[in-house]
Amino acid sequence: DLLMAEATETEESLADQFDMLKVNRPRIPMTSMELLELEKEALGMYVSGSPLDQYKGIRESGNIDDIASLEVEDLHVALLAIVTKVMIKEGRVGQFAFIDLEDATGGISAKIWSNRIASCVSYLEPGNCLVVRGRTNRYKTLEIVVDSVTPAMEELKRLQRRVIIKRLDAKLLNHIMKLPSGDTPIDLEVSNGDLRYRLGRYEVAPNYFEGIE
């Protein structure tokens, strides 16, 4: 009886301790992004996919470089990557930042100097998906000196405004060449859609081409 009483007391004590624990149980069903965040937190890596998967339209634009492909310095590049680490410092002329980026092929560090950081500091959070443009530089190892940072969702929306031209003549080309530079890509499609040539990025008003014959 004494042994049974002690066992019962032990069980009650363990039950009390268990009740005191605050266990954050995952909500089922989870969204794909919640699952990825849980994988990263628990395993330190993504298993079922990547947060970048939802931005495949950016990669398919053909203007994105894989981190693993970067080998030489002084090369202008555009990366679609996840921020994994951010370090912001105060310098003599203002703030500057060091960030670590990764995509499905690898990782790289990037520097954002004080003349660039004001326009992008709000985007610099671990886990954010960004399009980072800049040039490669070698300081001990290869790194990126950043020119601009755009949230991936904004970049995706911008690319969805792409203009595709299937027939180009001298008159239409003249109209395009007079457009100011901007964010909207204008592509020439040839060979029944098998090939597209990027004419450039311009500031294009909605329905601009509807009035041009």
Side-chain angles (χ1 to χ4, degrees), residues 47-179:
V47 177
S48 60
S50 166
L52 297 176
D53 292 344
Q54 61 186 311
Y55 304 112
K56 63 180 182 179
I58 299 176
R59 181 165 297 282
E60 290 171 354
S61 71
N63 297 320
I64 296 297
D65 300 284
D66 289 332
I67 290 177
S69 71
L70 306 181
E71 297 179 350
V72 298
E73 56 188 297
D74 205 25
L75 179 70
H76 289 275
V77 299
L79 306 177
L80 171 62
I82 304 171
V83 180
T84 59
K85 184 179 179 181
V86 178
M87 183 167 54
I88 298 177
K89 294 189 173 184
E90 292 289 342
R92 289 179 296 178
V93 293
Q95 289 184 326
F96 61 98
F98 298 100
I99 62 174
D100 288 347
L101 303 167
E102 70 175 34
D103 64 10
T105 69
I108 196 168
S109 295
K111 292 177 180 176
I112 307 175
W113 297 122
S114 56
N115 61 334
R116 305 286 187 186
I117 195 171
S119 63
C120 64
V121 66
S122 61
Y123 310 142
L124 304 182
E125 293 288 343
N128 281 359
C129 298
L130 305 174
V131 174
V132 178
R133 293 182 172 88
R135 62 177 178 82
T136 54
N137 179 60
R138 189 172 297 279
Y139 177 73
K140 297 182 179 178
T141 60
L142 201 67
E143 62 182 11
I144 304 295
V145 177
V146 175
D147 290 328
S148 68
V149 175
T150 307
M153 184 57 71
E154 288 186 16
E155 182 77 7
L156 186 61
K157 290 178 179 178
R158 183 184 63 77
L159 285 175
Q160 290 171 347
R161 297 196 298 267
R162 178 186 306 181
V163 175
I164 299 175
I165 298 172
K166 296 186 177 181
R167 296 181 61 184
L168 181 67
D169 56 25
K171 182 179 179 181
L172 181 54
L173 180 61
N174 184 52
H175 276 286
I176 294 173
M177 294 299 104
K178 290 180 179 179
L179 289 170

Side-chain angles (χ1 to χ4, degrees), residues 1-57:
D1 290 344
L2 180 60
L3 291 175
M4 290 183 63
E6 290 178 350
T8 300
E9 184 179 345
T10 300
E11 289 175 0
E12 291 176 350
S13 177
L14 289 172
D16 291 341
Q17 292 180 35
F18 184 78
D19 289 339
M20 293 173 63
L21 294 176
K22 293 183 179 180
V23 180
N24 294 321
R25 298 178 181 176
R27 178 172 53 85
I28 304 297
M30 290 184 288
T31 66
S32 58
M33 286 304 299
E34 288 173 337
L35 177 59
L36 290 171
E37 290 172 2
L38 187 62
E39 290 172 354
K40 185 69 172 180
E41 181 180 350
L43 304 174
M45 60 186 295
Y46 301 111
V47 177
S48 60
S50 166
L52 297 176
D53 292 344
Q54 61 186 311
Y55 304 112
K56 63 180 182 179

